[in-house]
RNA sequence: GCCGGGAUGGCGGAAUUGGUAGACGCACGGGACUCAAAAUCCCGCGGUGGCGACACCAUGAGAGUUCGAUUCUCUCUCCCGGCACCA
């Protein structure tokens, strides 16, 4: 077969993909003894079609997969679908289509898209989390955890839409109102199941040190999230109806305890509820605190308000009465749901005290940590410094932070009122969701027996797939065929739990299941030991905390249940930067918000933007992550249809480093297309026997070309090692440029260079590399070729160029022999006319010689 | 608000450990080829001044350390991600 003269991406891509399919090229098999490489990209939510973030994510994963395969590793790159979730229910509300059908149709379409991009995926391991064969193990492990006490039930706070009478996700609450109804949202307490992740807090924190392959920023974020703080937990005693009671608080600043002038309760605190009885004003205030969303970001930015309860407690050390307030900024979920108020040394307490006229006595002197004397007129940052000593604190006067905390904790302990304690910011994981499209929680509620686990033999509890949610209430609760059952214990009629699990449960162990997706009898088997841990995990930085933390937790739970022998699931982590795009929306009078895709919007020269469909203005919402909810995704299909997979992949890799945020623009994709066409044309000329001979200067040009190719290759291999793939793409361009300049029919250098180039490109543009490698008879399959390494001999030059600086400014360059010593270099440099001109008679203070790089003359 | 990250030409980005700022591309301008266009090839391309050699300015803003700072330290501005029910 003759080589095509013109580069036609679509035909060669089809051919290459057929070859891979037919030969089962990406089918991964366990090969004990052979070093494995498990490369995993975060599986997609089947939202409808791929967006650019997916293409970026999966191209990075595919590049690394193919690179390691060419380096001799036994690779596994699986793919699946994070198939449960809210958008399927939203689609049902909008279009009346059952979430199951919508989801499966999306999966089919997106799978076709992934295949057209030529990813080296082992599709035989494909799974979807909405399949009973998968989620039965969610249920099974849930029940195992329940047995071990790692799952328990308690109340939790949710967003309640009083009009639709339904629980809303945080995302569905906009400015404190329901997204569909515009109704003001209320906080509601309902019973939920929790996973006791806090029992693993210490290990989750400590084990971060065993993950050198993780980005520092992710480990820092996780450590801060887990939030280990050392402090003192103590109680304010008080008397209520003749009983001795205690109000417990936690503080990291026990050294300031003598400055306490009030205590503040969260609105949900039981003592607040007690005080509100017979106090309508307080009851109203507590109700007010309960309006709005449950999001911490909202809570943290609201205006700080408070109201006295009329109650007071006793200071544990001074015995003085301390008034008790309710504060809307106190979090029930953190610590004890109550805090001590030290206005002089805590910024929030300071403003609170100013607002409500509470005393602000200074008890810490941190001279040197800030300027200005202590004044209650305005807050100064040094008030919060731990580098001070206690004052106005009686027996603690003069003590430093650590000494004061020790002494105060000891005194509290002696009174039986408190002691030092570790506090975690991490909270247990509430997994109950009042939604239809998720994994059913395998519990049966029986009037006589209480909450009864579904027996193993009855698993899975299968979710009916024909429901069409309408946005009101809980859809499963409306299904008598699902709800009504019999109690496994007593056999009497009983009701199934209608809550489903958080979708983070589904994604917390799919990477384990990929090792054994076909095992119907066990959650995990011995194949897990071969493939796990994941050698390279790749996904968006937005998952830096929750998904990764839950996955780490889940792995440790499975380990402790004897299911796997694995401490950490992901050895190396690459956090891909987000792909952003403009956001446009309209807000109706009802408060309901509609988002418009930037493709449907036209920006006007005079500012502002309009919707193309109706010519009316839309509001600009800045830029943000491409997402279904903001409707600002870009469909990569157009790019693939027009240019083919290789050009799309090359462009994606070339346009920015994997870890950087990328604001989407297709400017530059022409450059990628041009490059691959040039490569093709070069290969065609090569096959014909190279360029016409041009003997003059050939030897030197040949040497210079080899030098260029091998130094670029050396750099490219370094860049691959640090996952900087954009410069690897640049390197390929540089090699082609160097080869193109070699205008002589020197087949040896051309052939060497082209073989390097095609292998270097094989992970990024696998189709064209596959085709040309075979057509040029370099071998049968480029995937089987060894990875290219640079030839050190090509990099030895007789002379090296040094940059010459005078006072740190570049003033020229000199060529010196490769082995010249500092003394010789100095002599050459000082004789240089440009240097003499700039030195112009001034005294030379010193000469800095950086070997192989530069010389700096300081005058 | 808290935690994490970022800012370099008109644009995407490069600069391995503090050592030539702007590699490689895009866009743009000029030229070659062509009846013409596309494609392709060649040249130019941070700013200011100068015919030019060259000089000065320049890596979000301001300060500091250093012979030398895009790189290290501090302060600030803006943007992005996360904040536990989006996934």
């Amino acid at each position: 077969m003759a080589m095509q003269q013109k580069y036609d991406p679509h035909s060669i891509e089809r051919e290459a993909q057929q070859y891979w399919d037919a030969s089962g090229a990406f089918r991964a098999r366990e090969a004990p003894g052979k070093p494995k490489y498990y490369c995993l990209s975060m599986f997609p939510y089947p939202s409808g079609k791929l967006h650019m973030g997916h293409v970026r994510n999966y191209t990075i994963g595919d590049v690394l997969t193919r690179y390691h395969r060419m380096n001799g590793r036994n690779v596994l790159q699986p793919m699946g679908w994070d198939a449960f979730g809210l958008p399927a229910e939203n689609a049902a509300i909008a279009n009346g289509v059952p979430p199951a059908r919508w989801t499966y149709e999306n999966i089919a379409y997106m799978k076709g898209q992934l295949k057209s991009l030529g990813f080296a995926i082992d599709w035989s391991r494909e799974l979807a989390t909405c399949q009973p064969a998968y989620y039965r193990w969610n249920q099974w492990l849930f029940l195992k955890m329940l047995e071990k006490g790692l799952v328990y039930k308690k109340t939790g706070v949710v967003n309640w839409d009083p009009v639709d009478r339904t629980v809303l996700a945080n995302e569905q609450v906009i400015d404190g109102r329901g997204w569909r109804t515009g109704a003001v949202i209320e906080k509601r307490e309902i019973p939920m199941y929790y996973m006791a992740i806090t029992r693993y807090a210490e290990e989750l924190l400590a084990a971060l040190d065993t993950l050198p392959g993780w980005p520092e920023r992710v480990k820092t974020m996780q450590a801060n999230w887990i939030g280990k703080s050392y402090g003192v937990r103590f109680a304010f005693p008080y008397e209520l109806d003749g009983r001795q009671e205690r109000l417990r608080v936690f503080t990291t600043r026990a050294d300031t305890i003598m400055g306490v002038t009030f205590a503040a309760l969260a609105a949900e605190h039981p003592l607040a509820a007690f005080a509100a009885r017979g106090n309508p004003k307080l009851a109203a205030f507590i109700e007010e605190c309960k309006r709005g969303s449950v999001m911490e970001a909202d809570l943290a930015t609201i205006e700080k308000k408070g109201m006295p309860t009329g109650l007071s407690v006793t200071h544990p050390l001074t015995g003085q009465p301390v008034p008790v307030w309710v504060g809307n900024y106190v979090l029930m979920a953190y610590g004890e749901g109550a805090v001590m108020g030290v206005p002089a040394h805590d910024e929030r307490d300071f403003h609170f005290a100013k607002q409500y006229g509470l005393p602000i006595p200074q008890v810490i002197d941190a001279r040197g940590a800030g300027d200005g004397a202590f004044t209650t007129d305005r807050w100064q940052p040094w008030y919060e410094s731990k580098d001070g000593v206690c004052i106005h604190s009686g027996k603690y006067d003069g003590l430093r932070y650590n000494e004061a905390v020790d002494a105060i904790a000891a005194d509290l302990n002696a009174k039986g009122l408190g002691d030092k304690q570790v506090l975690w910011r991490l909270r247990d994981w509430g997994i109950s969701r009042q939604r239809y499209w998720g994994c059913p929680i395998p519990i049966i509620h029986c009037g006589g027996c209480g909450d009864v686990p579904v027996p193993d033999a009855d698993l899975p509890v299968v979710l009916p797939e024909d429901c069409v949610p309408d946005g009101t209430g809980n859809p499963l609760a409306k299904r008598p065929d699902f709800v009504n059952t019999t109690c496994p214990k007593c056999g009497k009629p009983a009701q199934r739990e209608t809550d489903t699990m958080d979708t983070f449960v589904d994604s917390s162990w799919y990477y384990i299941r990929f090792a054994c997706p076909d095992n119907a009898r066990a959650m995990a088997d011995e194949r897990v030991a071969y493939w796990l841990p994941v050698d390279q995990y790749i996904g968006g930085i937005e998952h830096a905390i929750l998904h990764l933390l839950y996955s780490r937790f889940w792995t440790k739970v499975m380990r402790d249940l004897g299911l796997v022998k694995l401490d950490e699931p992901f050895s190396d982590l690459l956090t891909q930067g987000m792909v952003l795009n403009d956001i446009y929306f309209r807000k109706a009078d009802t408060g309901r918000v509609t988002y418009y895709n930037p493709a449907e919007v036209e920006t006007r020269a005079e500012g502002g933007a309009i919707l193309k469909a109706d010519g009316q203005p839309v509001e600009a919402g800045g830029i943000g992550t491409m997402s279904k909810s903001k409707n600002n995704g870009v469909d990569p299909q157009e790019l693939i249809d027009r240019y083919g997979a290789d050009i799309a992949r090359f462009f994606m890799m070339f346009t920015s480093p994997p870890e950087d945020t990328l604001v989407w623009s297709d400017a530059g994709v022409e450059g990628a297309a041009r490059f691959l066409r040039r490569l093709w044309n070069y290969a065609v000329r090569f096959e014909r026997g190279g360029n016409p001979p041009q003997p003059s200067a050939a030897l030197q040009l040949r040497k210079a070309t080899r030098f260029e190719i091998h130094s670029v290759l050396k750099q490219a291999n370094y860049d691959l090692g640090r996952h900087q793939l954009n410069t690897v793409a640049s390197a390929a361009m540089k090699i082609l440029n160097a080869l193109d300049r070699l205008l002589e029919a020197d087949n040896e250098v051309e052939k060497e260079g082209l073989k390097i180039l095609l292998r270097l490109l094989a992970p990024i543009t696998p189709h064209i590399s596959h085709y040309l490698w075979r057509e040029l008879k370099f071998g049968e399959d480029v995937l089987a070729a060894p990875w290219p390494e640079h030839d050190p001999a090509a990099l030895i030059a007789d002379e090296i160029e040094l940059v010459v600086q005078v006072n740190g400014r570049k003033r020229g360059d000199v060529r010196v022999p490769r082995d010249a010593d500092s003394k010789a270099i100095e002599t050459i440099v000082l004789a240089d006319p440009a240097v003499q001109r700039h030195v112009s008679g001034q005294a030379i203070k010193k000469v800095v010689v950086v070997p192989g790089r530069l010389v700096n003359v300081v005058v």
Side-chain angles (χ1 to χ4, degrees):
Chain A
M1 185 174 63
M3 197 172 148
Q4 295 175 18
Q5 295 302 292
K6 194 165 173 292
Y7 176 40
D8 175 22
H10 295 286
S11 69
I12 68 157
E13 284 170 14
R14 215 162 27 240
E15 198 192 311
Q17 285 166 19
Q18 277 164 7
Y19 170 84
W20 295 326
D21 267 352
S23 59
F26 309 129
R27 188 74 181 260
R29 290 184 178 80
E30 295 74 29
K34 191 176 176 191
K36 58 93 185 180
Y37 183 77
Y38 181 3
C39 184
L40 182 68
S41 292
M42 289 180 187
F43 64 167
Y45 177 78
S47 56
K49 47 198 179 187
L50 294 185
H51 56 65
M52 286 300 168
H54 292 131
V55 176
R56 193 182 193 195
N57 197 156
Y58 303 141
T59 303
I60 295 166
D62 201 47
V63 169
L64 298 176
T65 296
R66 288 171 181 270
Y67 168 67
H68 281 95
R69 179 181 177 136
M70 290 175 74
N71 274 285
R73 307 281 286 274
N74 185 28
V75 302
L76 165 61
Q77 181 175 232
M79 184 53 72
W81 308 94
D82 190 13
F84 277 136
L86 203 51
E89 295 190 36
N90 296 339
I93 295 167
N95 310 316
V97 185
R101 205 177 100 200
W102 184 85
T103 302
Y104 286 121
E105 283 171 7
N106 289 347
I107 287 174
Y109 181 75
M110 290 169 76
K111 185 174 177 182
Q113 288 189 300
L114 288 174
K115 287 199 155 188
S116 76
L117 281 159
F119 296 134
I121 289 167
D122 180 356
W123 283 105
S124 74
R125 294 167 188 261
E126 180 181 5
L127 58 82
T129 57
C130 62
Q131 295 161 338
Y134 181 83
Y135 67 68
R136 71 168 291 162
W137 301 111
N138 288 358
Q139 298 174 341
W140 183 79
L141 199 79
F142 171 91
L143 294 174
K144 285 276 169 291
M145 290 171 75
L146 190 66
E147 269 173 36
K148 300 273 176 195
L150 282 167
V151 162
Y152 64 94
K153 204 174 180 185
K154 70 166 182 182
T155 58
V157 191
V158 295
N159 302 303
W160 179 254
D161 184 323
V163 174
D164 270 348
R165 306 191 55 75
T166 188
V167 175
L168 297 187
N170 283 337
E171 189 188 47
Q172 298 171 312
V173 180
I174 295 161
D175 300 334
R177 291 168 179 272
W179 67 330
R180 295 177 72 241
T181 62
V184 174
I185 295 306
E186 300 162 10
K187 296 182 186 74
R188 269 215 175 177
E189 290 199 75
I190 58 167
M192 302 208 296
Y193 288 95
Y194 284 82
M195 292 192 171
I197 191 172
T198 50
R199 288 221 215 139
Y200 285 81
E202 191 77 63
E203 191 191 347
L204 287 167
L205 180 65
L208 289 172
D209 291 336
T210 68
L211 299 171
W214 281 41
E216 270 322 305
R217 60 171 164 164
V218 174
K219 288 191 277 188
T220 307
M221 278 190 262
Q222 292 222 344
N224 289 339
W225 184 265
I226 296 167
K228 185 177 191 175
S229 56
Y230 299 89
V232 173
R233 197 173 92 118
F234 69 93
F236 293 93
Y238 63 97
E239 201 169 290
L240 196 68
D241 301 335
R243 291 193 314 275
Q244 279 301 314
E245 300 281 348
R246 291 176 166 200
L247 174 64
R248 288 174 216 287
V249 299
F250 177 88
T251 178
T252 58
R253 292 304 303 269
D255 58 318
T256 66
I257 198 169
M258 302 305 273
V260 168
T261 58
F262 67 97
L265 309 173
E268 298 86 358
H269 197 283
L271 187 57
F274 173 83
R277 279 190 261 160
N279 183 344
K281 269 182 80 178
L282 184 61
F285 177 70
I286 290 171
E287 277 312 303
E288 187 192 325
C289 291
K290 287 182 179 173
R291 275 202 287 276
S293 88
V294 300
M295 286 173 71
E296 194 180 315
D298 290 343
L299 254 58
T301 47
I302 51 169
E303 191 195 344
K304 310 287 176 284
K305 284 187 189 167
M307 188 172 279
T309 60
L311 304 172
S312 72
V313 292
T314 308
H315 192 288
L317 297 178
T318 66
Q320 294 295 308
V322 173
V324 178
W325 288 61
V326 173
N328 65 352
Y329 63 96
V330 183
L331 297 175
M332 192 61 211
Y334 183 68
E336 304 288 339
V339 296
M340 68 176 196
V342 184
H345 303 291
D346 178 274
E347 185 169 6
R348 239 173 9 192
D349 295 346
F350 181 88
H351 295 297
F352 193 82
K354 292 272 286 181
Q355 189 175 346
Y356 294 108
L358 296 158
I360 306 177
Q362 182 192 7
V363 292
I364 298 289
D365 189 0
R367 271 172 307 212
D371 40 35
F374 185 89
T375 160
T376 58
D377 293 342
R378 66 187 169 92
W379 173 260
Q380 298 178 73
W382 69 261
Y383 295 176
E384 255 169 356
S385 171
K386 285 182 182 174
D387 298 326
V389 294
C390 294
I391 56 168
H392 312 312
S393 298
K395 64 186 273 203
Y396 309 113
D397 280 359
L399 296 182
R400 300 180 170 283
Y401 176 74
N402 283 322
E403 302 159 346
V405 171
D406 286 348
I408 287 165
D411 289 348
L412 287 166
N413 190 29
K415 295 184 177 222
L417 287 173
D419 208 341
K420 282 194 183 177
Q421 199 180 324
V422 170
L423 181 73
W424 301 92
R425 207 188 74 98
L426 183 68
R427 310 201 288 259
D428 278 341
W429 176 16
I431 60 145
S432 295
R433 297 290 179 272
Q434 299 68 47
R435 308 223 197 292
Y436 157 64
W437 191 234
C439 168
I441 292 176
I443 294 285
I444 291 167
H445 302 291
C446 170
C449 309
D451 298 346
V452 182
V454 173
D456 265 14
D458 295 345
L459 292 182
V461 176
V462 177
L463 185 74
E465 293 202 345
D466 54 354
C467 255
V468 184
D470 62 4
T472 67
N474 181 338
L476 272 184
K478 300 177 197 166
R479 292 284 301 241
D481 59 332
F482 176 81
V483 175
N484 295 327
T485 183
T486 53
C487 173
K489 259 192 192 163
C490 68
K492 288 183 187 152
Q495 279 77 46
R496 283 190 193 284
E497 169 67 50
T498 56
D499 281 1
T500 54
M501 295 185 197
D502 181 1
T503 56
F504 274 124
V505 171
D506 310 327
S507 57
S508 287
W509 67 284
Y510 74 107
Y511 48 88
I512 290 172
R513 191 64 180 173
F514 276 137
C516 53
D518 54 0
N519 193 332
R521 300 208 171 142
M523 190 176 188
D525 62 31
E526 69 289 346
R527 289 171 290 178
V528 172
Y530 178 74
W531 290 114
L532 275 286
V534 172
D535 295 277
Q536 182 68 63
Y537 197 33
I538 304 147
I541 182 69
E542 73 275 22
H543 294 293
I545 296 173
L546 292 180
H547 163 62
L548 291 170
L549 193 63
Y550 292 145
S551 296
R552 295 180 62 217
F553 162 64
W554 198 276
T555 297
K556 291 174 193 300
V557 169
M558 284 183 71
R559 176 200 63 193
D560 292 348
L561 289 169
L563 299 166
V564 295
K565 293 192 175 73
L566 191 65
D567 291 319
E568 286 288 337
F570 314 119
S571 303
D572 270 53
L573 176 68
L574 191 156
T575 45
Q576 178 202 208
M578 314 273 305
V579 182
L580 309 180
N581 202 4
D582 295 315
I583 297 167
Y584 295 102
F585 66 92
R586 278 183 194 155
K587 199 168 174 180
D589 298 336
T590 57
R592 189 172 172 167
V593 175
T594 312
Y595 289 93
Y596 298 96
N597 195 280
E600 306 166 35
V601 170
E602 197 176 305
T603 51
R604 323 221 81 182
E606 65 269 24
I610 56 160
L611 189 66
K612 285 177 192 167
D614 61 13
Q616 296 303 304
V618 289
E619 280 186 68
I623 53 174
T625 315
M626 284 189 183
S627 71
K628 187 89 181 159
S629 59
K630 297 283 193 289
N631 188 17
N632 65 338
V634 172
D635 186 359
Q637 197 56 47
E638 204 180 310
L639 197 65
I640 300 167
D641 289 346
R642 183 151 167 212
Y643 293 99
D646 280 343
I647 291 171
R649 293 168 57 123
F650 186 90
F651 170 63
M652 237 18 227
M653 291 303 93
F654 175 74
T655 200
S656 77
E659 312 222 44
D660 282 15
T661 298
L662 167 62
V663 181
W664 174 251
S665 156
D666 59 8
V669 64
E670 273 300 333
R674 205 170 289 159
F675 166 67
L676 290 186
R677 278 199 298 268
R678 274 182 63 210
L679 170 65
W680 186 274
N681 295 338
Y682 185 85
V684 168
R685 277 186 289 151
F686 173 84
E687 196 201 23
R688 284 195 203 128
N691 294 310
Q694 199 181 36
S696 62
L699 191 68
Q700 223 182 341
L701 187 57
R702 191 190 306 174
K703 201 172 175 188
T705 304
R706 281 201 86 223
F707 180 89
E708 169 76 0
I709 289 170
H710 285 274
S711 57
V712 168
L713 177 60
K714 185 182 179 189
Q715 180 67 38
N717 279 329
Y718 176 82
D719 289 344
L720 273 161
R722 59 174 176 157
H723 301 153
Q724 187 170 284
L725 304 179
N726 56 324
T727 47
V728 176
S730 294
M733 289 175 150
K734 287 178 186 175
I735 289 175
L736 182 62
N737 288 348
L739 285 172
D740 237 353
R741 280 193 290 266
L742 185 63
L743 290 170
E744 207 238 0
D746 183 332
N747 267 306
E748 281 319 300
V749 176
E750 285 196 319
K751 185 175 179 183
E752 184 198 17
L754 199 48
K755 284 177 81 169
I756 287 172
L757 178 55
L758 291 178
R759 282 178 291 164
L760 187 62
L761 274 172
I764 303 175
T765 57
H767 309 87
I768 191 173
S769 299
H770 170 84
Y771 185 90
L772 292 179
W773 187 262
R774 200 188 54 200
E775 288 301 307
L776 298 175
K777 308 204 168 42
F778 292 160
E780 180 57 35
D781 187 347
V782 69
L783 263 176
W787 190 255
E789 297 295 339
H790 76 276
D791 174 10
L795 301 184
I796 296 168
D798 300 333
E799 284 194 318
I800 51 173
E801 199 164 272
L802 289 183
V803 167
V804 180
Q805 297 182 329
V806 178
N807 284 343
R809 302 188 65 105
K810 188 191 171 188
R811 296 301 179 187
D813 32 45
V814 293
R815 296 190 71 84
V816 298
R818 171 159 38 97
D819 48 6
D821 62 11
S822 297
K823 204 85 199 139
I825 291 170
E826 219 176 294
T827 313
I828 297 168
V829 165
L830 292 176
D832 188 81
V835 171
Q836 292 195 334
R837 199 170 63 239
H838 284 95
V839 169
S840 64
Q842 299 170 76
I844 291 167
K845 276 203 209 145
K846 69 172 162 177
V847 180
V848 181
V849 178
V850 183
R853 286 212 179 257
L854 60 67
V855 182
N856 189 13
V857 180
V858 185
V859 299

